[in-house]
Amino acid sequence: MSEADCVTCGAAVALPEDAEVGEIVDCGGCGTELEVVGVDPAELAEAPDLAEDWGE
Amino acid sequence: MSEADCVTCGAAVALPEDAEVGEIVDCGGCGTELEVVGVDPAELAEAPDLAEDWGE
Amino acid sequence: MSESNAAVGPDQPPLIVKIGGARAVDPAGVIEDVAHVVAAGREVVVVHGGSTAVDDTLEAMGKEPEYVTTPSGVSGRFTDEETMGVFSMVLPGKLNTELVTDLRAAGVNAVGLSGVDGGLVTGPRKSAVRVLEDGKKKIRRGDHAGKPEAVNAGLLSSLLSDGYVPTVSPPMLADDGTAVNADADRVAALLAAELGGELVLLTDVEGVYADPEDPDTLIDAASTPAEFAAVEDAAEGFMSRKVHAAEEALSGGATGVVISDAGLRKPLLAALDGHGTWID
Amino acid sequence: MSESNAAVGPDQPPLIVKIGGARAVDPAGVIEDVAHVVAAGREVVVVHGGSTAVDDTLEAMGKEPEYVTTPSGVSGRFTDEETMGVFSMVLPGKLNTELVTDLRAAGVNAVGLSGVDGGLVTGPRKSAVRVLEDGKKKIRRGDHAGKPEAVNAGLLSSLLSDGYVPTVSPPMLADDGTAVNADADRVAALLAAELGGELVLLTDVEGVYADPEDPDTLIDAASTPAEFAAVEDAAEGFMSRKVHAAEEALSGGATGVVISDAGLRKPLLAALDGHGTWID
Ligand SMILES: [Zn+2]
Ligand SMILES: [Zn+2]
């Protein structure tokens, strides 16, 4: 299990075993939604806030 | 080998062994171009005069 | 709510008709109806989709159509670059050409346009989408989809005043300059709003049912906020999108919307005559 | 024969540019050139084909493209109903949408149209064709092909005067009401004739060679009947069709035709500046 720092609060965030690029994980420290942008090494970025639209 | 009458002059026109629908045969009597429209029984029609066009 | 023959006069607002796209649906009835309405002097815009035909063509080319579900449960096509090419083949290519040919054969002076032509339909690109896959929330990027927000009204009105029937299909032109997938109901709603027109959404059911399981519960009309809220509550799945489209059309300036059955013998005239669910 | 910068002024006749259809040909150069000419105030119509892309798509769908040879040795596509569907997918669908998107991204106000739209290009259907197969003369029926003979000039000039760049592809609308395959060079020639315009046929060679084996024998210009006869004699295969198209354009009212190389860095400006074979 790898981990990476939250880009907002700096807390260490543990990635699930089978984490995939694109997956969204929540920071346990500040609650920020983080996008897994790399798995080896683990890297996180703030997940874009995408308004969900009915005509998707 | 089957034969059919020329639609123009009435002469008997012999069809090749392997005649196919759509094939064009010439009447030996009057020279009319005849289209094979049936093979069993053999049937002939005047072949349409299709101008050949460069942009075909 | 019946409009009877007044619905086809030249003093009526432009009529925007959204139909399915595939010839398999047999649009002969609606084509005759369009010819009738146009002959009576009313301006008409036809909009079509054709998503199932896109799937058929993808499969014929050995590619599996991909649908994703958002975290809140909305399902939709994920349009990668290759799918976008097939989308253009099927909608503005095969289906639009067939529909324009059929309309012209019925005496309708149709001109086919995609939302890309002349920048007819533009809006923001949505290239990333949140999806739920195997219980995981993910960001999927590379979606060729967009939200129709603006219309080249000059192109549309110029064609209408010259006597043409614009026959419109997705894709639209996104703000990043790419051609992208857009919901055809929503495109039709936007055009109806822009033209201050009446929108007829033809579909494969009679209209909106209070109880989708019970055909006796068809909602005839919704003219008050409370009635509209009841329609919104009742609409499920694909029907909820049509109701959303109706809402966008009306809030943008459309004079009325009807959701009605494409399978009736004269489906467009029937809708104009009061069949289906009227919202205004 | 050089026209230099005068070629792009607003006082020039409309310019009709025929290009290949597939993005693979990289039309970026010609797109920039079209943007340049349009910005200088000249009216431009773009016409494209895309036959090789039709073959690629047929093959991707598991269908073999069919070509037939006429008794006099002219080779051409036989377009059965299924092929016609794929033709519409590829030309007005994928390729036209891509080209309009690319033109718009370059600042050109392009509107894509097939010959079916608004009855833009009409003429007789040629459903039967004489072919030579295994040494036998045969009649093949069911060909979806036509001869472009008439243009909806009103639609074209209305779009041009509104500042659009019509971007046109086959099919055309046949007199029996069907959408059919038509030679894109010939469509371009007909539009040039109708508009009294200048026709640029961009191709994959420098122009017409007196001896196709010898690149030093490029014919620069043909202005007299004798010079034109020399061009006709020299042109072989696909080039003879371009020369026929040039002839139809000129006899119909086009002001001039140039056959030039699409592979040059600025292929359209180069053609307007005197490259290729000029016929007038
Ligand atoms: Zn945090
Ligand atoms: Zn005879």
Side-chain angles (χ1 to χ4, degrees), chain A residues 1-2 14-20 23 25 36, chain C residues 136:
Chain A
M1 190 167 85
S2 59
L15 268 56
E17 201 82 26
D18 58 350
E20 295 169 38
E23 191 171 338
V25 294
V36 177
Chain C
K136 289 180 175 184

Side-chain angles (χ1 to χ4, degrees), chain A residues 6-11 13 27-32 34:
Chain A
C6 170
V7 292
T8 301
C9 71
V13 179
C27 170
C30 67
T32 299
L34 299 162

Side-chain angles (χ1 to χ4, degrees), chain A residues 22 24 33 35 52-53, chain C residues 70 72 130 137 139 141 186:
Chain A
I24 297 172
E33 285 189 313
E35 178 182 356
E52 195 173 325
D53 190 28
Chain C
T70 67
S72 73
R130 284 187 181 223
K137 281 189 295 182
I139 306 276
R141 296 174 195 276
R186 198 167 197 175

